[in-house]
């Protein structure tokens, strides 16, 4: 990769991050701290860039820069009338440096890996990069030709993001997809750390993200250029933003819209994201059932944010590719036979249990120290009774139940399908599980910040 | 009691950091032991480059591209299939279709061995000498 390519790629990445920053700053004016805004910027910017690239194929850069200028002006005008939410002023402990050091090391190691394997692993090039190449190389007729690839129905957020990077650089340099995904992986760790720090402000807020950095498979999925890692980050971002909405602005709608947007981006990243959208809507409905009118209003606001990315994905799915290999051409009798077969349930349950211990490709499972933390630091009962925590936990549970159900009815052999995908599916919820564990863990009294305490999770 | 709790807290923190760092070290080791040779895709991309340039010169940039190998007409072997998949990726936006001999152009994958005679009805258009050969229908010549 030449220095010119690296510079042009960096410009494209910075434009994307700034787009994300100003979208969050404008939409959530004064409701979210500057630190959190920066943490969420790359993934929100990636979602916005995906929509722009899908709608405006050719004048993409012009539209992005124009939108950036417009958002900047709106933000300037807004700043005069609103005061920004102050970030937590607690002094960040030494662990911040530790996390930053390990994260930098892992990022560099991942870049070396990308340099050695620029096209990524099989699914990376055969699915996501092949789609990106059709979008980039086939010009305006890409929609007619993308069906020649493997899984042409898969959502386009990652392929369009790759194609966008190539548009900025002016040629399709294969390394860029890997570099981009490694940076998005870093932003996932930052979202986890910033969210936990703002909500809990204890040393665990910085130690638990260390467990995510120390999950080899999390970064490998980025290096391999698979879409599973960005999906896991959109799931985390949605649940974290829902937490902030319930805590910082329970009657407001702006954080809900942003959470909905993150969920919509999850649906635009992988088909499993569509299941997550259903899960998070259902979780909100079930947890807030006692205050039905308020819950419905919240769900409507969440859906408003969801709409734009979801419409893009549904438009693509209904107009371009053939049916999905899991859902297309299924016979009722075959489905019924599978649903009624208890053997399948046992096989799948066994695989879930076994893979739960290994999906991160860890030499040592981080569940052991995590469990020790929950035992010795105690569990914050107020936190786990809060609406925000219960929505997160229920969403994760519904997603996992959904994955289980898909395996029950899959047309593929379980001997092939389970080992080929289960570790990646469990990775989708791993950052969110760490987030929920970080919220649930108790706090050492000596660690309470002295200027403004952590935002407490109110129980309902 | 307070001291005991504090010790337990510290031990859990040390444990958590140790496990994370051990896993980080494992990732680093995996990266260090990566073979620094070219991947199969990169090799196929290099082989494809002269044909791509030739097709660009003659103005065939998008559409179907047939694929034959010495064994493909009698049924694709696993190796053929893998190679065709690599070619499908590197040839994008051209669409590589196995055994489609009526496509405007056909790639002959003769990396392992070159057949004594070309598949019937095909003539050679361009042979860069690396095992991939560009063919087309004799009728269109």
């Amino acid at each position: 990769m030449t220095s010119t390519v690296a510079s042009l790629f960096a410009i494209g990445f910075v434009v994307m991050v700034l787009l994300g920053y100003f979208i969050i700053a404008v939409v959530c004016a004064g409701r979210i701290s500057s630190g959190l805004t920066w943490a969420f910027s790359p993934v929100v910017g990636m979602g916005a860039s995906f929509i722009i690239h899908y709608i405006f194929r050719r004048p993409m850069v012009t539209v992005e820069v124009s939108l950036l200028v417009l958002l900047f002006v709106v933000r300037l005008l807004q700043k005069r009338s609103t005061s920004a939410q102050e970030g937590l002023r607690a002094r960040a402990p030494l662990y911040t440096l530790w996390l930053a050091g390990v994260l930098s090391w892992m990022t560099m190691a991942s870049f070396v890996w990308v340099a050695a394997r620029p096209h990524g692993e099989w699914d990376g090039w055969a699915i996501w990069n092949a789609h990106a190449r059709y979008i980039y190389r086939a010009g305006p007729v890409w929609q007619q030709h993308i069906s020649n690839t493997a899984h042409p129905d898969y959502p386009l957020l990652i392929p369009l993001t790759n194609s966008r990077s190539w548009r900025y650089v002016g040629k399709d340099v294969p390394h860029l997809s890997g570099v981009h995904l490694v940076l998005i992986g870093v932003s996932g760790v930052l979202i986890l750390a910033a969210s936990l720090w703002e909500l809990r402000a204890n040393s665990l807020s910085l130690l638990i993200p260390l467990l995510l950095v120390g999950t080899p498979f999390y970064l490998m999925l980025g290096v391999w250029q698979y879409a599973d890692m960005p999906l896991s980050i959109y799931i985390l971002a949605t649940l974290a933003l829902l937490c902030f909405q319930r805590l910082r602005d329970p009657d407001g709608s702006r954080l809900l819209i942003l959470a909905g947007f993150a969920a919509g981006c999850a649906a635009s990243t992988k088909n499993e994201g569509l299941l997550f959208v259903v899960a998070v809507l259902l979780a909100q409905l079930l947890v807030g059932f006692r205050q039905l009118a308020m819950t419905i209003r919240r769900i409507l606001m969440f859906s408003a944010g969801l709409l734009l990315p979801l419409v893009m994905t549904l438009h693509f799915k209904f107009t371009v590719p053939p049916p999905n290999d899991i859902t297309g051409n299924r016979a009722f009798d075959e489905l019924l036979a599978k649903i009624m077969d208890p053997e399948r349930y046992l096989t799948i349950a066994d695989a879930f249990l076994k893979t739960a211990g290994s999906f991160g490709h860890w030499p040592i499972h981080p569940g052991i120290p995590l469990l020790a933390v929950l035992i010795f630091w105690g569990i914050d009962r107020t936190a786990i009774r809060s609406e925000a925590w219960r929505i997160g936990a229920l969403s994760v549970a519904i997603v996992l139940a959904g994955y289980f159900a898909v395996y029950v009815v899959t047309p593929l052999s379980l001997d092939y399908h389970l080992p080929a995908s289960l570790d990646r599916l469990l990775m989708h919820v791993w950052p969110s599980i760490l987030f929920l564990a970080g919220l649930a863990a108790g706090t050492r009294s000596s660690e309470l910040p002295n200027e403004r305490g952590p935002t407490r999770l109110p129980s309902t | 009691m307070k001291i005991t709790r504090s010790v337990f807290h510290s031990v859990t923190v040390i444990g958590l950091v140790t496990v994370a760092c051990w896993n980080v070290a494992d990732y680093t080791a995996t990266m260090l032991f990566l073979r620094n040779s070219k991947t199969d895709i990169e090799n196929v991309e290099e082989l494809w480059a002269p044909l791509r340039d030739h097709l660009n010169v003659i103005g065939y940039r998008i559409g179907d591209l047939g694929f034959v190998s010495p064994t493909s007409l009698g049924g694709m072997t696993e190796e053929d299939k893998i190679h065709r998949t690599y070619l499908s990726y590197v040839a994008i936006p051209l669409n590589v279709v196995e055994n489609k001999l009526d496509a405007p152009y056909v790639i002959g994958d003769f990396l392992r061995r070159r057949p004594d005679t070309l598949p019937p009805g095909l003539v050679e258009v361009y042979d860069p000498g690396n095992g991939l050969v560009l063919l087309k229908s004799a009728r269109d010549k």
Side-chain angles (χ1 to χ4, degrees), chain B residues 105-136:
Chain B
Y105 291 94
V106 175
I107 308 174
D109 180 355
F110 306 143
L111 288 168
R112 276 172 291 154
R113 67 178 175 86
R114 188 173 174 117
D116 299 333
T117 54
L118 289 176
L122 291 176
V123 290
E124 189 178 303
V125 177
Y126 176 58
D127 181 1
N130 62 13
L132 290 184
V133 181
L134 190 64
L135 311 166
K136 71 183 292 188

Side-chain angles (χ1 to χ4, degrees), chain A residues 10-334:
Chain A
I11 290 171
F13 195 84
V14 168
V15 168
M16 185 191 86
V17 172
L18 288 176
L19 262 179
Y21 178 83
F22 284 112
I23 287 171
I24 300 170
V26 167
V27 172
C28 304
R31 285 159 183 83
I32 194 167
S33 72
S34 176
L36 270 177
T37 305
W38 281 115
F40 282 98
S41 296
V43 291
V44 171
M46 186 162 74
S49 308
F50 146 70
I51 293 168
I52 291 170
H53 196 10
Y54 188 75
I55 300 175
F56 308 96
R57 229 192 78 82
R58 267 292 138 190
M60 178 200 83
V61 178
T62 317
V63 174
E64 282 190 358
V65 174
S66 308
L67 182 62
L68 198 55
V69 172
L70 180 71
L71 287 168
F72 178 71
V73 172
V74 173
R75 182 68 192 136
L76 272 185
L77 295 172
Q78 255 184 356
K79 249 190 166 173
R80 290 180 185 171
S81 54
T82 57
S83 60
Q85 170 85 34
E86 277 185 39
L88 199 57
R89 287 213 195 113
R91 197 162 53 85
L94 198 62
Y95 298 123
T96 316
L97 286 177
W98 188 251
L99 178 64
V102 175
L103 195 54
S104 307
W105 174 257
M106 291 298 267
T107 308
M108 288 303 144
S110 301
F111 285 161
V112 172
W113 199 325
V114 170
R117 301 284 183 275
H119 295 275
E121 291 298 318
W122 191 278
D123 279 11
W125 59 263
I127 301 173
W128 308 107
N129 285 336
H131 292 183
R133 282 188 165 194
Y134 268 110
I135 294 166
Y136 181 78
R137 293 179 176 180
V141 294
W142 67 269
Q143 293 188 333
Q144 295 161 31
H145 294 273
I146 202 166
S147 56
N148 299 321
T149 58
H151 301 294
D153 65 298
Y154 281 12
L156 287 180
L157 189 141
I158 295 302
L160 278 166
T161 301
N162 294 343
S163 161
R164 175 188 175 276
S165 298
W166 297 337
R167 287 283 309 282
Y168 267 89
V169 168
K171 55 183 173 181
D172 47 357
V173 182
H175 303 77
L176 297 184
S177 319
V179 171
H180 183 94
L181 283 178
V182 169
L183 293 174
I184 290 298
V186 171
S187 86
V189 177
L190 295 179
I191 288 173
L192 181 61
S195 302
L196 283 176
W197 181 249
E198 292 251 350
L199 291 167
R200 305 297 285 172
N202 59 14
S203 50
L204 281 182
S205 317
L206 300 163
L207 289 172
I208 283 180
L210 203 57
L211 292 181
L212 186 57
V213 187
T215 300
F217 197 43
Y218 173 76
L219 288 169
M220 276 151 78
L221 284 171
V223 172
W224 293 358
Q225 301 173 32
Y226 284 29
D228 301 270
M229 184 265 280
L231 172 63
S232 75
I233 298 172
Y234 277 121
I235 292 176
L236 167 69
T238 307
L239 299 183
L241 285 166
L242 280 174
C243 264
F244 285 109
Q245 187 273 330
R246 293 300 194 268
L247 299 168
R248 299 261 168 93
D249 195 21
D251 299 323
S253 55
R254 289 165 178 252
L255 285 166
L256 274 172
I257 291 172
L258 194 63
F261 182 77
C265 291
S268 304
T269 304
K270 280 203 86 186
N271 286 338
E272 290 89 332
L274 289 166
L275 171 64
F276 170 68
V277 167
V278 174
V280 77
L281 285 170
L282 198 58
Q284 287 184 80
L285 188 65
L286 291 174
V287 171
F289 196 70
R290 286 184 191 161
Q291 298 167 294
L292 198 56
M294 165 82 91
T295 302
I296 287 174
R297 193 191 68 78
R298 284 173 171 171
I299 286 177
L300 285 175
M301 288 299 116
F302 182 85
S303 305
L306 186 71
L307 206 60
L308 201 52
L310 195 62
V311 164
M312 300 296 123
T313 297
L314 294 180
H315 173 264
F316 169 69
K317 278 185 170 287
F318 286 118
T319 54
V320 180
N324 180 275
D325 57 344
I326 303 282
T327 56
N329 302 321
R330 304 301 303 276
F332 178 73
D333 289 347
E334 177 232 336

Side-chain angles (χ1 to χ4, degrees), chain A residues 350-360 362 365-367 422-423 426 430:
Chain A
D350 184 51
F352 263 72
L353 282 176
K354 283 181 180 153
T355 313
S358 63
F359 70 92
W362 306 280
H365 198 299
L422 187 53
D423 53 355
L426 293 181
W430 177 237

Side-chain angles (χ1 to χ4, degrees), chain A residues 95 98 105-106 109-110 112-113 117-119 125 129 133 137 148 207 214 223 362-364 373 376-377 444, chain B residues 9 12-13 16-17 21 23-24 26-28 31 34-35 39 41-42 45 62 86 89-90 92-95:
Chain A
Y95 298 123
W98 188 251
W105 174 257
M106 291 298 267
S110 301
V112 172
W113 199 325
R117 301 284 183 275
H119 295 275
W125 59 263
N129 285 336
R133 282 188 165 194
R137 293 179 176 180
N148 299 321
L207 289 172
V223 172
W362 306 280
I364 309 176
V373 163
F376 293 116
W377 291 54
R444 283 198 280 191
Chain B
H9 282 171
T12 52
V13 168
L16 204 141
V17 171
C21 289
N23 292 337
V24 164
D26 186 71
Y27 180 85
T28 310
M31 183 269 295
L34 278 178
R35 275 189 307 122
T39 59
I41 288 279
E42 287 174 289
E45 196 134 55
I62 196 160
Y86 289 152
Y89 173 67
V90 301
I92 290 172
L94 291 163
N95 176 32

Side-chain angles (χ1 to χ4, degrees), chain B residues 1-49:
Chain B
M1 185 65 184
K2 217 172 175 183
I3 294 171
T4 316
R5 268 185 67 179
S6 179
V7 168
F8 274 130
H9 282 171
S10 302
V11 168
T12 52
V13 168
I14 292 166
L16 204 141
V17 171
T18 309
V19 167
C21 289
W22 190 275
N23 292 337
V24 164
D26 186 71
Y27 180 85
T28 310
T30 313
M31 183 269 295
L32 286 174
F33 288 111
L34 278 178
R35 275 189 307 122
N36 212 10
S37 55
K38 279 189 178 159
T39 59
D40 290 343
I41 288 279
E42 287 174 289
N43 287 329
V44 175
E45 196 134 55
E46 263 184 27
L47 295 173
W48 167 249

